[in-house]
Each structure stands twice: as structure tokens, then as C-alpha cells.
Amino acid sequence: MVDSRSLHEQLNHKVEELWQEELEFLKTMIRFPSLSGKEHRLQLFLADYLTTKLKLQVDRFTPAIQQIEKHPGYSPPKWTYEYSDIVIGTHKGINPSEGKTLIFQGHADVVSAEPATEWDSSPWEPFEKDGRLYGRGSADMKGGIAAMIFAYRAVIECGYMPKNDFMIQVVPDEERTGNGALAALEAGYTADAALIPEPFGLQASVGQVGALWFEISLRTIKKDEYKQTQTNVIEKLHTITSSLMAFERYLNQTRSHLAFSDQDNPIDLNIGKVTAGDFASNEPVHATIEGRVALLPGEQISERKQELLDWIKQETKNDIWFKENPPTIDFYGFHAEGTLSDDTSPLFQELDAAHERVTKTKPTRRTLPSTTDARHFQLYYDIDTICYGPVGGQFHEVNEWVDLNSIKDVTKVYATFLANWCGVEKKIIKQDGP
Amino acid sequence: MVDSRSLHEQLNHKVEELWQEELEFLKTMIRFPSLSGKEHRLQLFLADYLTTKLKLQVDRFTPAIQQIEKHPGYSPPKWTYEYSDIVIGTHKGINPSEGKTLIFQGHADVVSAEPATEWDSSPWEPFEKDGRLYGRGSADMKGGIAAMIFAYRAVIECGYMPKNDFMIQVVPDEERTGNGALAALEAGYTADAALIPEPFGLQASVGQVGALWFEISLRTIKKDEYKQTQTNVIEKLHTITSSLMAFERYLNQTRSHLAFSDQDNPIDLNIGKVTAGDFASNEPVHATIEGRVALLPGEQISERKQELLDWIKQETKNDIWFKENPPTIDFYGFHAEGTLSDDTSPLFQELDAAHERVTKTKPTRRTLPSTTDARHFQLYYDIDTICYGPVGGQFHEVNEWVDLNSIKDVTKVYATFLANWCGVEKKIIKQDGP
């Protein structure tokens, strides 16, 4: 039977048909607590799914530090990748002289759900309410991974095969470094373009900031001789946190970028973690402050590091305690530069067209106040890349949610886009001999 | 052969004879990392030692909360006592109408050795240098436990037996609550007097402060509507730590105690631990501050609690963020009152005499700026109790040490004191029939 509907209509129809299955698939993914460094079990599940359901050729491997540590996009981790599998499913084009090659890339890892007690329901058991699905990773970014996988399923279950190479990459450690994405690209898994379904509300990203992690350590090296009561290292934390807040104000006052002119505070500095001491009755010796500071596109990691080092040095130099107990600053995790996109490129045009067909609305753009894996594709491999995914909220916070209708829309947009970008043709079903 | 030397000389001689064995015994104890809540393995070793080497009747049991939780000396723990054994070795007096009953009591638990990397050598491998033994618990208080055990060994190996009941109690969880000591006493293991070998330099304690633990939790309940940038809960830590330091000043300015008039700051408030957030790139929701505040003898736990609650309430009431996100204060761990001793009692006289005989110096007194298990004996069981132990330093800090000669002296003082307090007589060696 010949399907008389357009390719686009067929794909939309198939996405609707598969929707309950896509929703169950998303819920299954959320139930894996795939925290950064613990992506293994989710990745085994996905590798099996890509192999058996999508008939992709699947490669699974862990990032090897020695293969990426000299790369400018590398971020130094403080952890191993023993349980951080990369999963790559490849379809080799049946007619690669036509169409273009494409990567759908998502990250398997999610951030901590703590304090889990603050959630209205368990972060690891998806909960559906009023068209939203709640759970850690529902939006960032398992909803998007479901969309990219079911977009491809829609294509093949409509009986089509991409003419050119198509790849699904699900990578680890996006939330701390981006080394998973880098290791996949360094292993040779590249293409003409990439889509990353970050949950930015069906808007295509045209730029993102970079991110640098720091850890400032205070340590009582020399005890006070000039005071009757010892200075507790915890008292000195405040000098550093105030200084960091002043540094954020200084950065935003002294530099700007046209692409981020709509944002009040694009160079965000987050103080994320403080620890000091380990016992109520002991005087602590150590205190640490961990945080993240952004970079505008064009700003260099090495420069931001030096600025922070100089700033802290300047702010503590007149303090008698800090003179005798100088703080140390360590940079680990994110060493990510910012990036910009040319939104007149063929990739944007093709995605805009698919978006408009599915949603009947004009495409809009956004710049991201955060970093994504897109930077590796754009900066180091010259792969045109867009972040475009469902509507969600409370990313990295309690009660993270994703809008389910928007996932369905993204799945449809992705399916149409994939078919048009790679080109597709009807799969020839081999008949058994006469 | 009749030993013509005095009892005192015989005991001193025996302590010298056993010294290398006592030192090895102490080193063995230090090698057990008997952190509070993990006393189990050390306690099994000690129970075996008291049974086989000292021929004591040994009872070993864990503190049962339901048996002590209504007691005024109880401190609410946040942990279980599954691995916190109490060990009690009892000698039943051979002539209990003479002499008096006695307890030697020590605590098995030690505080954390972190940051272990700051130590000059491993905290769990004793290291001898210039007459000092370094290691976690060397002074507080395994050196003292060695002294009390070898004092009894000296007595029995000189061929004597106490006339009245004598007991060795080694208890858990002294560093967080004192519930181990309380559980032993509540189980009926009491006596006329007790000695605790806290390492206060061969001085007898005549008073100690109490201690109350608190945990102040900050939580972002309501996000700022009046600010463009959210207030990070870490910024608010400073309000609380400053407030606590002011509370300490206020307490020391407004109250005093004659017994502590030699100390500048007897009501010490220690901020021991701070934690906030768990991820550099996330905005933290929670922050906690844990600490300990002292009480002078006579001050009530319930009053100190209320004072702290009122103080924090007052200090945060004009802060718009705290108004919407009020801090909570929880009291767990130490709920210890201060105590005083009558240093003209027979116990003091007897100990003074033994001290003078061994050291040829006049006894001195001290008040303790910390809390010990002595309070339970004194306040709730009317058992005259002294803390008296070796010379040591860096208790609860890196490079804790104990002076070895002082342990030998304490062992001698204890042996003479034990013999005089309980009374002793030569053990009759039964001969086999004719």
C-alpha cells in the first residue's frame, strides 16, 4: 500500500502512534539515577535499545583521559570515568552521495537531586501532572533524548532509511566537564551538523557563555599570636564569598557582549558548595568554597583564571590572617569557552522550516546563560550545532519538570528535520526468493 | 620469699618492669581507629584483654537508648550504638567489709583525625619521638586507659588482690554525648569513687564546664521577589557565624564563676562544621552550621538553649531574607551540665598522697574548659570523681601526642591509690593437697 500522505504527515502520524511508548521510555530513563560518574546502567540500557530497537551499529566505550587531555576543550576532572560510558549508535547512509550527515547528541548524566526531601515526590520516580512530567533529568535532558530517539524510530518505522550517515550520541559528564562529548568527537564520530535537545523551549540557541569551575581552599597554617582567641577558619569564609560577589559585579560592569545584551548579569558567578570542619566540638583547620564563573564568547579561560587569582589576592592582601594563611585556588571541572552561531546557516534554515511546519509558529532564538556540549562541535570540529529541545523548568533544582506536549512537538520537528537533512528513501524490503 | 619493700615500692617496681609491655599495649590501642560510633573492634580487644590477662569478670553490651533516654544526663544522638560497645571488667572484693569500692573509667572513642594529610605521620600508626608518642587518641585517652589497666596489673602481679570491689569501665561515645558512661552507670555499675585518666598533666580536676551542641539550618524556602539576583544561602551563613561570635562575647561578659575566674573565655562557643550545597554549578538550597557552646556549673541546659534561640531570633529579625526564610535550630549530641568537686574529700586526699609519693611534688588542681564523663558520676550518682591523667597535647587536633614518662607516673600513682583506696591483701596461692 502506498502512503499518499506527505513524508511530514507520515512522520507526525507515526510520532503520535508511538507517543505512549515514548513516554514510557522517558519514564524508564528517569528511573536510572544516572548522576555524573554513574551513567553506566542507563548507558547499558540505551546501548541495548539502540541495537535491538533501532538496529543501529552501536559502539560503547569510556572516555580515555590520555586521548583528550592535550585538547584545548579538555576539562580536568577530579574523578574517574570508570562508570561513565559513551554510547554511539550509527546508521551508515544507504546513498551517502546524497543528503548530509547528522548527529543527534544528548547527555546521559543528571545533577544531584539533593536535598531529595525537598521534592514534592521522589526525584527518581517520574510523576505526571497537568501535562508535566516531574523527575530529576526529565527536562535536562532525558526528555530530549527520548525525542531524538523516537524521531529516528518514526523515520524507520514509516519505512524510510536516511540516505547519509546518521548518529545518535549519548555522552556522560556533561554537567561537570563536557569530556564525554569531547571523547566521542576525538574518537572520530563527527558529522556535518549536530542537534542537542537541551530543554530551551523549542527555541534554537544562537550563543552560550562558557564556564570555569574553581575551588578556593582556606587552611589554618599559622595560628594567631596576636589574638587571645584563635581565628576560626569559618569566620574567614565570608571574606572570600563577599569578594567573589564583588568579582561578579566587576565582571558584569566592565565587559559585555552584544549577543547577551538582553541579560542583566550574563557573567554569572555561582557559589555552589561550602565545607569546613567535621566535628561540632573541634576547631576546623580547612574550609573550601566551590563555584563556577561564566565567560562571554571570545573570553579566554586562561585570562579568567588569572583575573580570579589576582582578584582574590588583592582582596585578601590587607588581612592579617590571610597574610599568614594564604588561600589557594584550584581549577578543576569545567574549562569551557563561550560560543556563537551563524543563524543564517543551512542548519538553522532547515530546522526553522521543520519547526514552522510542526508548530505553525515562527521560530525564535535564544542565547544561553549556561554552557552546553555544543561548544566542542562548534569550536574544535567546525560542526554547525544547535541546541533545541522541549519546554521544561527547575533544571538542576527541586521539582524539575518537562512539558510532555513539547516533547511530542520536538520529536516531530526532529523527525522532519532528520528526513530532510540526511535525505531518506523507502527501505527496500527483500523478498524471499521465488 | 617475703618482699621486704613497702607496697608502694613494690608497685613502682612492677610498673617499671611492665613498662615496655604497657607501651606496646598503648600502641596496639592507637592502631584501632576507634572513632565515635566505631569503637567495636577496640572494645573486643579490650574485653578479651580484661578477661584473659586481668582475670576480671567482663560484661560487654551496647547502650540501649530506651534505658537512658528519660535520664536528665541523656544526650540525644543522631546515630546508632550498634558498634559502640561498653566493656566493664569487675573484680569482686575478697573482703568487702574493708576498703572502699572504685571505678577506673576511660572512653574508647577518639575524634576524627581529618585532615589526616596534615599530620607529620599517620594518625593511626603510633610514632615515638623525644619521649612523646604521637597518634590519634594517644593522649585522649588511650594513654590513660593503658595507665589504669597496668596499674591494676601491677597490683595483681605483685600478688595482691583488692579487698573491695574494683571495676574497669571503658565506654563509647564520650566525644559526642557521654551516653556510654551513662548507660554503664544506669546498668548498675557504680562505686564509692571514680578516677578518669583525662590527659590533664597530672593535675586533679576540680570543676568542668558543660557543653551543648547545636545545628543551625538555613534553607531557601521563599525566593527573593525584591531582588534581581537571588540571594545565595551561602551569603547568609555570615550573619549566623557573626551572631554566634557575638553570643559568645555576650555570655562571657554577663556571667562568670569563681572556679573559672582564671580563664578569659570560659564559656567557649566553637563553630565546628559548615556545609552548604553539593555542586559547584548549582545554587544551594540548604546550609548548616554545627557547633558547641559551654555552660558554667549551675547553668541549665534548657536555659542555654532558650538563650541561643532568642539570640538568633533577635539577630535575624530585621533581615528581610531571614524573615522569609527563618533558620531552624536543632540540639543534638552533648547536653552536658558543668560540675564542681569538693577537693577536701577523702578521694582527693588519697589521690594527693599517691601523687606526692610518686612524683615527689605537691599536687595541683585545675578546672577544665571542656566536658568529661565525670559529670554523670558526680551529678546523678553522687560518686566522688576526679579526672587525673598524663601530660599530652594537640587533643582533637593534628599531631596529638602524649608524654610517655607521665603515663608511667600516672600508672604508679593509680596503682598506689588503688591499693590504698580499695585495700589489698596478699593473694593466697592454693597448694595442691599433701
Side-chain angles (χ1 to χ4, degrees):
Chain A
M1 194 187 87
V2 175
D3 196 326
S4 62
R5 292 174 297 183
S6 74
L7 174 62
H8 169 67
E9 285 165 342
Q10 291 173 53
L11 293 172
N12 281 1
H13 185 75
K14 184 58 75 178
V15 169
E16 292 286 350
E17 205 176 281
L18 292 170
W19 174 246
Q20 280 309 316
E21 207 178 321
E22 181 172 353
L23 181 57
E24 286 311 311
F25 177 82
L26 171 54
K27 289 180 178 175
T28 300
M29 276 199 289
I30 293 169
R31 289 188 188 102
F32 288 98
S34 55
L35 297 161
S36 304
K38 296 176 184 165
E39 298 92 343
H40 187 62
R41 289 183 57 233
L42 173 61
Q43 294 294 68
L44 277 175
F45 164 75
L46 289 179
D48 181 61
Y49 194 91
L50 297 189
T51 306
T52 58
K53 282 282 188 179
L54 301 192
K55 310 293 178 197
L56 296 174
Q57 187 182 321
V58 171
D59 194 5
R60 186 165 62 81
F61 57 102
T62 52
I65 296 292
Q66 67 275 22
Q67 281 161 18
I68 55 174
E69 67 187 346
K70 304 289 182 204
H71 195 282
Y74 174 70
S75 295
K78 275 193 183 174
W79 42 84
T80 71
Y81 289 127
E82 198 178 353
Y83 299 105
S84 292
D85 300 41
I86 295 165
V87 170
I88 295 173
T90 304
H91 159 83
K92 292 304 288 180
I94 51 174
N95 206 346
S97 61
E98 298 176 37
K100 293 185 283 284
T101 61
L102 179 67
I103 295 166
F104 282 174
Q105 194 258 34
H107 63 83
D109 60 324
V110 297
V111 302
S112 164
E114 293 303 324
T117 49
E118 299 279 321
W119 287 63
D120 293 336
S121 59
S122 165
W124 308 114
E125 183 50 48
F127 176 72
E128 211 177 322
K129 192 182 171 196
D130 301 334
R132 290 177 172 184
L133 188 69
Y134 292 84
R136 170 57 81 230
S138 59
D140 185 9
M141 63 184 300
K142 292 173 177 175
I145 293 174
M148 69 194 209
I149 286 176
F150 276 75
Y152 183 68
R153 262 196 74 177
V155 170
I156 59 173
E157 294 198 12
C158 282
Y160 295 99
M161 295 299 277
K163 288 184 181 172
N164 212 329
D165 297 352
F166 167 74
M167 217 180 281
I168 288 177
Q169 300 186 351
V170 186
V171 299
D173 212 39
E174 190 265 1
E175 298 286 7
R176 303 185 298 189
T177 63
N179 286 340
L182 184 63
L185 290 162
E186 278 295 279
Y189 291 106
T190 60
D192 295 324
L195 280 185
I196 299 178
E198 290 280 3
F200 299 126
L202 292 98
Q203 298 178 90
S205 62
V206 287
Q208 66 182 37
V209 296
L212 173 66
W213 275 14
F214 56 84
E215 179 175 313
I216 304 178
S217 299
L218 313 189
R219 182 181 155 216
T220 305
I221 298 161
K222 196 172 167 186
K223 294 206 167 190
D224 306 343
E225 284 162 13
Y226 48 91
K227 279 179 76 175
Q228 198 143 46
T229 311
Q230 290 298 321
T231 300
N232 185 322
V233 69
I234 289 171
E235 295 171 37
K236 308 309 287 184
L237 283 171
H238 182 63
T239 307
I240 304 296
T241 55
S242 307
S243 171
L244 289 171
M245 290 189 293
F247 184 54
E248 183 188 43
R249 287 192 296 276
Y250 162 78
L251 290 174
N252 284 289
Q253 278 159 9
T254 54
R255 55 210 79 185
S256 61
H257 193 290
L258 197 61
F260 293 84
S261 55
D262 59 323
Q263 293 173 26
D264 286 312
N265 200 46
I267 312 180
D268 179 60
L269 186 150
N270 183 66
I271 303 175
K273 185 174 175 182
V274 167
T275 55
D278 64 355
F279 190 59
S281 288
N282 274 15
E283 194 177 311
V285 174
H286 274 167
T288 60
I289 298 173
E290 290 173 65
R292 168 261 196 202
V293 61
L295 296 90
L296 294 172
E299 291 194 301
Q300 301 301 308
I301 291 290
S302 57
E303 285 172 24
R304 179 67 84 248
K305 282 186 183 178
Q306 196 56 52
E307 283 174 320
L308 179 60
L309 289 167
D310 292 346
W311 187 271
I312 296 294
K313 195 171 177 183
Q314 176 68 21
E315 294 258 314
T316 54
K317 76 171 183 185
N318 294 322
D319 180 301
I320 187 165
W321 188 87
F322 277 115
K323 245 185 209 166
E324 296 183 336
N325 305 278
T328 56
I329 307 185
D330 181 32
F331 297 97
Y332 74 101
F334 275 123
H335 280 53
E337 293 174 66
T339 60
L340 290 175
S341 303
D342 168 15
D343 75 344
T344 62
S345 70
L347 176 67
F348 272 86
Q349 289 172 31
E350 201 70 77
L351 187 71
D352 284 352
H355 171 90
E356 204 161 342
R357 269 193 104 144
V358 170
T359 67
K360 317 291 178 206
T361 63
K362 287 281 170 199
T364 52
R365 305 281 184 251
R366 67 172 292 179
T367 51
L368 308 181
S370 53
T371 197
T372 77
D373 277 342
R375 71 186 184 281
H376 295 303
F377 293 84
Q378 297 176 314
L379 291 170
Y380 312 118
Y381 301 88
D382 202 23
I383 299 171
D384 209 1
T385 304
I386 297 176
C387 291
Y388 173 97
V391 174
Q394 296 287 111
F395 322 131
H396 293 206
E397 299 192 19
V398 298
N399 297 326
E400 178 180 350
W401 59 270
V402 69
D403 177 88
L404 290 172
N405 271 333
S406 76
I407 295 181
K408 202 193 283 181
D409 282 349
V410 169
T411 310
K412 289 175 183 173
V413 171
Y414 268 37
T416 290
F417 169 79
L418 163 59
N420 291 338
W421 183 266
C422 295
V424 289
E425 58 191 53
K426 274 282 180 187
K427 193 178 172 183
I428 296 145
I429 311 288
K430 280 193 187 145
Q431 304 286 339
D432 282 338
Chain B
M1 195 186 84
V2 175
D3 195 328
S4 62
R5 292 175 299 184
S6 73
L7 174 61
H8 170 67
E9 283 165 345
Q10 290 173 54
L11 292 172
N12 282 2
H13 186 75
K14 185 58 77 179
V15 169
E16 292 285 350
E17 204 175 283
L18 291 170
W19 174 245
Q20 280 310 316
E21 207 178 322
E22 181 172 353
L23 181 56
E24 286 311 311
F25 177 81
L26 170 55
K27 288 180 178 174
T28 300
M29 277 200 287
I30 293 170
R31 290 190 188 100
F32 288 99
S34 56
L35 296 161
S36 304
K38 294 176 185 166
E39 298 91 345
H40 187 62
R41 288 183 58 233
L42 172 61
Q43 294 293 70
L44 277 175
F45 163 75
L46 289 179
D48 181 61
Y49 194 91
L50 298 190
T51 306
T52 57
K53 281 281 186 179
L54 302 191
K55 310 293 179 199
L56 296 173
Q57 187 181 318
V58 171
D59 194 4
R60 186 166 63 80
F61 57 103
T62 52
I65 295 292
Q66 67 275 20
Q67 282 162 17
I68 55 173
E69 67 187 347
K70 304 290 183 205
H71 195 283
Y74 174 70
S75 294
K78 274 192 182 175
W79 43 84
T80 72
Y81 289 127
E82 197 177 353
Y83 299 105
S84 291
D85 300 40
I86 295 165
V87 170
I88 295 173
T90 304
H91 158 82
K92 291 305 287 179
I94 51 173
N95 206 346
S97 61
E98 299 176 38
K100 293 187 281 285
T101 61
L102 179 66
I103 294 167
F104 282 174
Q105 193 257 36
H107 63 83
D109 59 324
V110 296
V111 302
S112 165
E114 294 302 324
T117 48
E118 299 279 321
W119 288 64
D120 293 336
S121 59
S122 164
W124 308 113
E125 183 49 47
F127 176 74
E128 211 177 323
K129 192 183 169 193
D130 300 335
R132 291 177 171 184
L133 189 69
Y134 291 84
R136 171 55 82 229
S138 59
D140 183 12
M141 62 182 301
K142 292 174 178 176
I145 293 175
M148 68 194 210
I149 285 176
F150 276 75
Y152 183 68
R153 263 196 74 176
V155 170
I156 58 173
E157 294 198 12
C158 283
Y160 294 97
M161 293 300 278
K163 288 184 180 171
N164 212 326
D165 298 351
F166 168 73
M167 216 180 285
I168 287 176
Q169 299 186 352
V170 185
V171 301
D173 211 41
E174 190 263 3
E175 298 287 7
R176 302 185 299 188
T177 62
N179 287 339
L182 185 63
L185 290 162
E186 278 295 278
Y189 291 106
T190 60
D192 295 325
L195 280 185
I196 300 178
E198 289 280 3
F200 299 128
L202 291 99
Q203 297 179 90
S205 63
V206 287
Q208 66 182 36
V209 297
L212 172 66
W213 275 14
F214 57 83
E215 179 175 313
I216 304 179
S217 299
L218 313 189
R219 184 181 154 217
T220 304
I221 299 161
K222 197 172 168 189
K223 293 206 167 190
D224 307 342
E225 284 162 14
Y226 48 90
K227 280 178 74 177
Q228 198 144 43
T229 311
Q230 291 297 322
T231 299
N232 185 323
V233 70
I234 289 171
E235 295 171 37
K236 308 310 286 183
L237 282 171
H238 182 63
T239 307
I240 304 296
T241 55
S242 308
S243 172
L244 289 171
M245 289 187 294
F247 184 55
E248 183 188 43
R249 287 191 296 275
Y250 162 79
L251 290 173
N252 285 289
Q253 278 159 10
T254 55
R255 56 210 78 185
S256 61
H257 193 290
L258 196 61
F260 293 85
S261 54
D262 59 323
Q263 293 174 25
D264 287 312
N265 201 44
I267 313 180
D268 179 60
L269 187 149
N270 183 66
I271 303 175
K273 185 175 174 180
V274 167
T275 55
D278 64 355
F279 190 59
S281 288
N282 273 14
E283 195 178 310
V285 174
H286 274 166
T288 60
I289 298 173
E290 290 173 65
R292 166 261 196 204
V293 60
L295 295 90
L296 294 172
E299 290 194 303
Q300 301 301 308
I301 292 289
S302 57
E303 284 172 26
R304 179 66 86 248
K305 280 186 184 179
Q306 195 57 51
E307 283 174 318
L308 179 60
L309 289 166
D310 292 346
W311 186 272
I312 296 294
K313 195 171 177 181
Q314 176 68 22
E315 294 259 314
T316 54
K317 76 172 183 184
N318 294 322
D319 179 301
I320 186 165
W321 188 88
F322 276 115
K323 246 185 206 165
E324 297 183 334
N325 306 278
T328 56
I329 307 186
D330 181 32
F331 297 98
Y332 74 101
F334 276 123
H335 279 52
E337 293 173 67
T339 60
L340 290 176
S341 303
D342 167 15
D343 74 344
T344 63
S345 70
L347 176 66
F348 272 86
Q349 289 172 32
E350 201 70 77
L351 187 71
D352 283 352
H355 171 90
E356 207 162 340
R357 270 194 106 145
V358 170
T359 66
K360 316 292 180 207
T361 63
K362 287 280 171 201
T364 53
R365 306 280 184 250
R366 66 171 293 177
T367 49
L368 308 181
S370 53
T371 197
T372 77
D373 277 341
R375 71 187 184 282
H376 295 302
F377 293 85
Q378 297 176 313
L379 292 171
Y380 312 119
Y381 300 89
D382 202 22
I383 299 172
D384 209 1
T385 304
I386 297 177
C387 289
Y388 173 96
V391 174
Q394 296 288 110
F395 322 131
H396 293 207
E397 298 191 20
V398 298
N399 296 328
E400 177 180 349
W401 58 270
V402 69
D403 177 271
L404 290 172
N405 271 333
S406 75
I407 295 182
K408 201 192 286 182
D409 282 348
V410 169
T411 310
K412 290 175 183 173
V413 171
Y414 267 36
T416 291
F417 168 79
L418 164 57
N420 291 337
W421 182 266
C422 296
V424 288
E425 57 190 54
K426 273 283 179 190
K427 194 177 172 185
I428 296 145
I429 311 289
K430 280 193 189 147
Q431 304 287 339
D432 283 338

